Amino acid sequence: MSDKMRSTPSTSRRRILGRREFVKTGTIGALGSLAFLGARTARAADAQVEVLVGETIGTISPGIYGHFTEHIGGVVYDGIWVGEDSSIPNVGGIRRELVEHMKRIKPAVVRWPGGCFADSYDWRDGIGPRASRPRRTNFWVNSRELRAAPDGPQKYDPNQFGTNEFVRFCRLVGAEPYFAANVRGLTAADFDAWVDYCNSPKGSTSLADERAANGDPDPLRVRYWGVGNESWGCGGNFTPEEYATEFRRFIAWVPDHGVPLSFIASGPSGGDLEWTRRFFAKLTERDRGLLRSVFGWGLHYYCGTSGKGQAVDFTLDDWYDLLQKADVMDSLISSQWAAMAEIDAEHKVKLAVDEWGAWHEAGTEVDPRYLFGQMSTMRDALIAALTLDTFNRHADKVVMANVAQLINNLHSLFLARGDRFCATPNFHVFEMYAAHQGGESVRTRFTAPPIGAYAAEKSSPLWGLAGSASLHGKELVVTAVNPSAKEAIEAEIVLNGATARDGRMRVLASGDIHDHNTFDDPRAVETKDAKFRAQGGRFPAKFPPASVSLLRVTLD
Ligand code: AHR
């Protein structure tokens, strides 16, 4: 995990104009100081968003808008699962408020049961009558943060939430389940049996009968299967060659029971290109055809505060620092893609960024037992937005992504404790960005004055406005992030290859970059409609400081 608390250096290929170059383009007049001008101000027509409507990148896979739920801290127990007998409103034991909110963001896929937990989990423990399921030591029991905590599900998993409950949760919210299988501790035969239990036709096998007896006569039709998790670390301390051998064994001739299986392999620690090169080399040493059996190459990337303030208490420098670290996702995708191409030139294997988010110092969790539980502020919302924009721009490469983690954890969309519940600013970003799902990602050129040397020791600037766009028939969806904590940006939107008839705009912004939602003030941060008129080929839009915006433009 510590690897992800450090971020790899940014070599983003995204075009960032230097201040001098920016002035030279004549897009704007004199800029003055670019950051920290004191009070929040606006710059007149100082930026341009050019949408190249005819230049498509690829279809935005709804899978990019996925989530991750591990048996850790307060994610499953008290987050998702409250139990059927709970006084907390629930649907068959699953927190009702969570289900209702999830539906609003159209979650395409949810990953479970880990994370590191996955490589310690025996799926058989989580099936059958709940009263007789075993209690098992949770992978995270030895965490420093849990030492003083009383015994409970965070330390000893009661297995009340297992395969059938998880798939019911997915069905309730309209998502596909994505299972991560235990490679460190179980065998390929156990893996086959889990697939059999989930997908074999009614009445066909003993495991199908068992599933029926557990309340699901019809196959669960689980398509996505992760083979291990972070196999270079908690998933088994494998070398890339060892892991590739295990991966080959696990995916060899798994009976699919009529469900097309999509396997996801465990990718590198951070941006480690050697792990990628060596895995692909070993995977294909006997048969290059195996590339066709790998649906996704799993990437994990967390940008961390690493000792620089925590989730809520941070400085202006920390704000820009973390946004810049989050932006590393862009170069990570490009560099991994290039390394994969050394063996997989046709790019049969795509990227599955199955863990991503901001990882802050402990101390803001809503319950001390909720390991890695943290508040999410406007800073995290901007990180979510710029990351989703990055995925959209790489729609030809990224087929799936899972923000870590759904509730009561890192970069969560929700917080819950007992009967209290609230959505974080991240939820609002996902609700806005759902508009991109399934659209054709089109090229954009965001031209804006970069955020200059926001701290004396910083040499590289952060872009001044970034985003993505997608086409859905006659609707163009554009999302944008203004990272400036102080200045609004007035941009000209230029449609290259289309004209607008109408448009609307929704914005997530708040008075203070530290703003966040709490149980007592759950609507402190939320989206609002903004004034916006889209007509013809060029029209203005104003992006408030520290904001995320969604423009929906109807084309002629
Ligand atoms: O999301 C928390 C942990 O981070 C996951 O269990 C692991 O895969 C990663 O290191």
Side-chain angles (χ1 to χ4, degrees), residues 237-256:
N237 285 330
F238 292 115
T239 66
E241 289 78 17
E242 288 165 350
Y243 173 63
T245 306
E246 289 301 321
F247 182 85
R248 288 198 313 221
R249 191 204 318 276
F250 268 65
I251 66 160
W253 298 92
V254 184
D256 66 5

mmCIF file of all heavy atoms in Angstrom, residues 237-256:
data_model
loop_
_atom_site.group_PDB
_atom_site.id
_atom_site.type_symbol
_atom_site.label_atom_id
_atom_site.label_comp_id
_atom_site.label_asym_id
_atom_site.label_seq_id
_atom_site.Cartn_x
_atom_site.Cartn_y
_atom_site.Cartn_z
ATOM 1 N N ASN A 237 3.025 -11.692 -3.044
ATOM 2 C CA ASN A 237 4.463 -11.397 -3.207
ATOM 3 C C ASN A 237 5.074 -12.130 -4.394
ATOM 4 O O ASN A 237 6.200 -12.615 -4.337
ATOM 5 C CB ASN A 237 5.248 -11.768 -1.936
ATOM 6 C CG ASN A 237 5.013 -10.770 -0.831
ATOM 7 O OD1 ASN A 237 4.774 -9.583 -1.088
ATOM 8 N ND2 ASN A 237 5.044 -11.235 0.410
ATOM 9 N N PHE A 238 4.323 -12.234 -5.469
ATOM 10 C CA PHE A 238 4.819 -12.942 -6.650
ATOM 11 C C PHE A 238 5.792 -12.083 -7.450
ATOM 12 O O PHE A 238 5.735 -10.852 -7.411
ATOM 13 C CB PHE A 238 3.658 -13.287 -7.593
ATOM 14 C CG PHE A 238 2.695 -14.309 -7.052
ATOM 15 C CD1 PHE A 238 1.372 -13.966 -6.779
ATOM 16 C CD2 PHE A 238 3.089 -15.621 -6.834
ATOM 17 C CE1 PHE A 238 0.465 -14.904 -6.310
ATOM 18 C CE2 PHE A 238 2.182 -16.570 -6.357
ATOM 19 C CZ PHE A 238 0.870 -16.208 -6.091
ATOM 20 N N THR A 239 6.640 -12.755 -8.214
ATOM 21 C CA THR A 239 7.360 -12.054 -9.275
ATOM 22 C C THR A 239 6.389 -11.999 -10.465
ATOM 23 O O THR A 239 5.419 -12.784 -10.515
ATOM 24 C CB THR A 239 8.621 -12.829 -9.710
ATOM 25 O OG1 THR A 239 8.202 -14.065 -10.312
ATOM 26 C CG2 THR A 239 9.553 -13.093 -8.532
ATOM 27 N N PRO A 240 6.655 -11.145 -11.439
ATOM 28 C CA PRO A 240 5.736 -11.109 -12.579
ATOM 29 C C PRO A 240 5.632 -12.453 -13.287
ATOM 30 O O PRO A 240 4.562 -12.835 -13.757
ATOM 31 C CB PRO A 240 6.330 -10.048 -13.506
ATOM 32 C CG PRO A 240 7.491 -9.443 -12.827
ATOM 33 C CD PRO A 240 7.675 -10.089 -11.497
ATOM 34 N N GLU A 241 6.755 -13.189 -13.334
ATOM 35 C CA GLU A 241 6.734 -14.488 -14.017
ATOM 36 C C GLU A 241 5.886 -15.491 -13.217
ATOM 37 O O GLU A 241 5.094 -16.242 -13.794
ATOM 38 C CB GLU A 241 8.161 -15.044 -14.191
ATOM 39 C CG GLU A 241 8.999 -14.296 -15.216
ATOM 40 C CD GLU A 241 9.555 -12.960 -14.698
ATOM 41 O OE1 GLU A 241 9.573 -12.769 -13.451
ATOM 42 O OE2 GLU A 241 9.953 -12.120 -15.520
ATOM 43 N N GLU A 242 6.071 -15.486 -11.902
ATOM 44 C CA GLU A 242 5.273 -16.412 -11.077
ATOM 45 C C GLU A 242 3.784 -16.089 -11.224
ATOM 46 O O GLU A 242 2.946 -16.973 -11.375
ATOM 47 C CB GLU A 242 5.678 -16.294 -9.601
ATOM 48 C CG GLU A 242 7.028 -16.876 -9.282
ATOM 49 C CD GLU A 242 7.561 -16.418 -7.907
ATOM 50 O OE1 GLU A 242 6.972 -15.494 -7.291
ATOM 51 O OE2 GLU A 242 8.571 -16.980 -7.469
ATOM 52 N N TYR A 243 3.495 -14.798 -11.170
ATOM 53 C CA TYR A 243 2.083 -14.417 -11.255
ATOM 54 C C TYR A 243 1.502 -14.779 -12.618
ATOM 55 O O TYR A 243 0.380 -15.295 -12.718
ATOM 56 C CB TYR A 243 1.894 -12.922 -10.951
ATOM 57 C CG TYR A 243 0.463 -12.493 -11.211
ATOM 58 C CD1 TYR A 243 -0.593 -13.040 -10.475
ATOM 59 C CD2 TYR A 243 0.153 -11.586 -12.231
ATOM 60 C CE1 TYR A 243 -1.918 -12.701 -10.740
ATOM 61 C CE2 TYR A 243 -1.167 -11.244 -12.499
ATOM 62 C CZ TYR A 243 -2.187 -11.805 -11.760
ATOM 63 O OH TYR A 243 -3.504 -11.479 -12.032
ATOM 64 N N ALA A 244 2.269 -14.546 -13.676
ATOM 65 C CA ALA A 244 1.770 -14.875 -15.016
ATOM 66 C C ALA A 244 1.469 -16.370 -15.115
ATOM 67 O O ALA A 244 0.479 -16.786 -15.729
ATOM 68 C CB ALA A 244 2.784 -14.453 -16.075
ATOM 69 N N THR A 245 2.314 -17.185 -14.469
ATOM 70 C CA THR A 245 2.086 -18.631 -14.488
ATOM 71 C C THR A 245 0.780 -18.979 -13.764
ATOM 72 O O THR A 245 -0.029 -19.779 -14.236
ATOM 73 C CB THR A 245 3.280 -19.354 -13.825
ATOM 74 O OG1 THR A 245 4.469 -18.916 -14.490
ATOM 75 C CG2 THR A 245 3.165 -20.857 -13.933
ATOM 76 N N GLU A 246 0.588 -18.353 -12.589
ATOM 77 C CA GLU A 246 -0.662 -18.582 -11.846
ATOM 78 C C GLU A 246 -1.864 -18.106 -12.657
ATOM 79 O O GLU A 246 -2.888 -18.774 -12.722
ATOM 80 C CB GLU A 246 -0.639 -17.828 -10.498
ATOM 81 C CG GLU A 246 0.307 -18.396 -9.469
ATOM 82 C CD GLU A 246 -0.011 -19.848 -9.131
ATOM 83 O OE1 GLU A 246 -1.190 -20.220 -9.037
ATOM 84 O OE2 GLU A 246 0.951 -20.633 -8.995
ATOM 85 N N PHE A 247 -1.706 -16.948 -13.260
ATOM 86 C CA PHE A 247 -2.804 -16.377 -14.045
ATOM 87 C C PHE A 247 -3.199 -17.346 -15.161
ATOM 88 O O PHE A 247 -4.380 -17.622 -15.381
ATOM 89 C CB PHE A 247 -2.385 -15.020 -14.611
ATOM 90 C CG PHE A 247 -3.465 -14.339 -15.403
ATOM 91 C CD1 PHE A 247 -4.435 -13.573 -14.769
ATOM 92 C CD2 PHE A 247 -3.535 -14.485 -16.784
ATOM 93 C CE1 PHE A 247 -5.450 -12.962 -15.496
ATOM 94 C CE2 PHE A 247 -4.542 -13.886 -17.515
ATOM 95 C CZ PHE A 247 -5.499 -13.118 -16.865
ATOM 96 N N ARG A 248 -2.186 -17.872 -15.846
ATOM 97 C CA ARG A 248 -2.473 -18.809 -16.940
ATOM 98 C C ARG A 248 -3.214 -20.032 -16.420
ATOM 99 O O ARG A 248 -4.165 -20.507 -17.029
ATOM 100 C CB ARG A 248 -1.163 -19.261 -17.616
ATOM 101 C CG ARG A 248 -0.525 -18.178 -18.436
ATOM 102 C CD ARG A 248 0.486 -18.718 -19.426
ATOM 103 N NE ARG A 248 1.431 -19.674 -18.891
ATOM 104 C CZ ARG A 248 2.724 -19.703 -19.201
ATOM 105 N NH1 ARG A 248 3.208 -18.788 -20.027
ATOM 106 N NH2 ARG A 248 3.520 -20.607 -18.711
ATOM 107 N N ARG A 249 -2.749 -20.522 -15.255
ATOM 108 C CA ARG A 249 -3.391 -21.717 -14.684
ATOM 109 C C ARG A 249 -4.866 -21.408 -14.333
ATOM 110 O O ARG A 249 -5.759 -22.181 -14.628
ATOM 111 C CB ARG A 249 -2.627 -22.131 -13.419
ATOM 112 C CG ARG A 249 -3.027 -23.503 -12.876
ATOM 113 C CD ARG A 249 -2.745 -23.659 -11.381
ATOM 114 N NE ARG A 249 -1.469 -23.124 -10.942
ATOM 115 C CZ ARG A 249 -0.305 -23.780 -11.008
ATOM 116 N NH1 ARG A 249 -0.242 -24.978 -11.510
ATOM 117 N NH2 ARG A 249 0.800 -23.211 -10.559
ATOM 118 N N PHE A 250 -5.084 -20.248 -13.716
ATOM 119 C CA PHE A 250 -6.440 -19.912 -13.260
ATOM 120 C C PHE A 250 -7.416 -19.744 -14.425
ATOM 121 O O PHE A 250 -8.581 -20.088 -14.303
ATOM 122 C CB PHE A 250 -6.426 -18.646 -12.390
ATOM 123 C CG PHE A 250 -6.276 -18.930 -10.920
ATOM 124 C CD1 PHE A 250 -5.113 -19.502 -10.419
ATOM 125 C CD2 PHE A 250 -7.297 -18.635 -10.027
ATOM 126 C CE1 PHE A 250 -4.969 -19.779 -9.067
ATOM 127 C CE2 PHE A 250 -7.169 -18.907 -8.662
ATOM 128 C CZ PHE A 250 -6.008 -19.483 -8.185
ATOM 129 N N ILE A 251 -6.940 -19.180 -15.534
ATOM 130 C CA ILE A 251 -7.911 -18.890 -16.607
ATOM 131 C C ILE A 251 -7.989 -19.997 -17.660
ATOM 132 O O ILE A 251 -8.792 -19.901 -18.590
ATOM 133 C CB ILE A 251 -7.599 -17.549 -17.309
ATOM 134 C CG1 ILE A 251 -6.269 -17.619 -18.074
ATOM 135 C CG2 ILE A 251 -7.612 -16.387 -16.325
ATOM 136 C CD1 ILE A 251 -6.162 -16.534 -19.134
ATOM 137 N N ALA A 252 -7.168 -21.052 -17.477
ATOM 138 C CA ALA A 252 -7.132 -22.100 -18.511
ATOM 139 C C ALA A 252 -8.421 -22.919 -18.505
ATOM 140 O O ALA A 252 -8.741 -23.577 -17.522
ATOM 141 C CB ALA A 252 -5.928 -23.018 -18.281
ATOM 142 N N TRP A 253 -9.157 -22.841 -19.561
ATOM 143 C CA TRP A 253 -10.304 -23.722 -19.782
ATOM 144 C C TRP A 253 -11.329 -23.678 -18.646
ATOM 145 O O TRP A 253 -11.908 -24.702 -18.294
ATOM 146 C CB TRP A 253 -9.833 -25.155 -20.024
ATOM 147 C CG TRP A 253 -8.986 -25.253 -21.241
ATOM 148 C CD1 TRP A 253 -7.634 -25.159 -21.305
ATOM 149 C CD2 TRP A 253 -9.441 -25.400 -22.593
ATOM 150 N NE1 TRP A 253 -7.189 -25.237 -22.604
ATOM 151 C CE2 TRP A 253 -8.287 -25.402 -23.428
ATOM 152 C CE3 TRP A 253 -10.702 -25.549 -23.185
ATOM 153 C CZ2 TRP A 253 -8.366 -25.527 -24.811
ATOM 154 C CZ3 TRP A 253 -10.768 -25.681 -24.568
ATOM 155 C CH2 TRP A 253 -9.612 -25.671 -25.359
ATOM 156 N N VAL A 254 -11.567 -22.512 -18.092
ATOM 157 C CA VAL A 254 -12.610 -22.414 -17.051
ATOM 158 C C VAL A 254 -13.960 -22.585 -17.758
ATOM 159 O O VAL A 254 -14.264 -21.827 -18.680
ATOM 160 C CB VAL A 254 -12.607 -21.014 -16.381
ATOM 161 C CG1 VAL A 254 -13.624 -20.954 -15.240
ATOM 162 C CG2 VAL A 254 -11.219 -20.648 -15.897
ATOM 163 N N PRO A 255 -14.772 -23.565 -17.364
ATOM 164 C CA PRO A 255 -16.092 -23.692 -17.998
ATOM 165 C C PRO A 255 -16.879 -22.403 -17.777
ATOM 166 O O PRO A 255 -16.977 -21.902 -16.655
ATOM 167 C CB PRO A 255 -16.732 -24.869 -17.250
ATOM 168 C CG PRO A 255 -15.590 -25.636 -16.679
ATOM 169 C CD PRO A 255 -14.537 -24.608 -16.345
ATOM 170 N N ASP A 256 -17.414 -21.853 -18.881
ATOM 171 C CA ASP A 256 -18.045 -20.532 -18.725
ATOM 172 C C ASP A 256 -19.552 -20.611 -18.494
ATOM 173 O O ASP A 256 -20.195 -19.593 -18.228
ATOM 174 C CB ASP A 256 -17.723 -19.630 -19.924
ATOM 175 C CG ASP A 256 -18.346 -20.132 -21.216
ATOM 176 O OD1 ASP A 256 -19.108 -21.131 -21.168
ATOM 177 O OD2 ASP A 256 -18.081 -19.532 -22.273
#
